[in-house]
Amino acid sequence: MHHIREDCIKSRLTERAHLTLAVEKLMERGVPEELIPVHLARVFYVDMDELNAVLEKMRTMKEAGEKRPLRAVA
């Protein structure tokens, strides 16, 4: 019988605001966009549809010359 240790259980990363923050942090550290899903999936259960939406939004903003996404305050 296998025992699952609590520290091995991945947290969920599914909220768009949290995904955006994680993507921003990885990009600031120089992680290429195509490797961001791999890096996040190693640590979290990721909502890939939401992650793709965040990456697309960041790409669009970059092309438009915007610095960073607007964040909700509440």
Side-chain angles (χ1 to χ4, degrees), residues 45-64:
Y45 286 112
V46 179
D47 181 330
M48 296 308 284
D49 291 331
E50 283 296 315
L51 177 57
N52 286 330
V54 167
L55 290 170
E56 180 61 32
K57 175 84 172 168
M58 304 277 275
R59 232 179 275 121
T60 303
M61 291 179 66
K62 185 177 180 182
E63 291 168 1

Side-chain angles (χ1 to χ4, degrees), residues 1-2 6-7 9 13-15 23 26 30-31 33 40 44 51-52 61 63-65 67-68 71:
M1 182 154 133
H2 295 287
E6 249 182 81
D7 59 346
I9 298 174
L13 188 56
T14 57
E15 297 293 324
V23 168
L26 289 172
V31 175
E33 181 182 326
L40 292 177
F44 300 101
L51 177 57
N52 286 330
M61 291 179 66
E63 291 168 1
K67 296 287 183 202
R68 60 187 324 186
R71 297 193 187 169

Side-chain angles (χ1 to χ4, degrees), residues 2-26:
H2 295 287
H3 293 331
I4 298 175
R5 293 184 7 207
E6 249 182 81
D7 59 346
C8 290
I9 298 174
K10 292 182 179 181
S11 298
R12 295 188 181 277
L13 188 56
T14 57
E15 297 293 324
R16 190 168 294 201
H18 296 145
L19 282 163
T20 300
L21 182 60
V23 168
E24 286 177 345
K25 296 262 185 210
L26 289 172

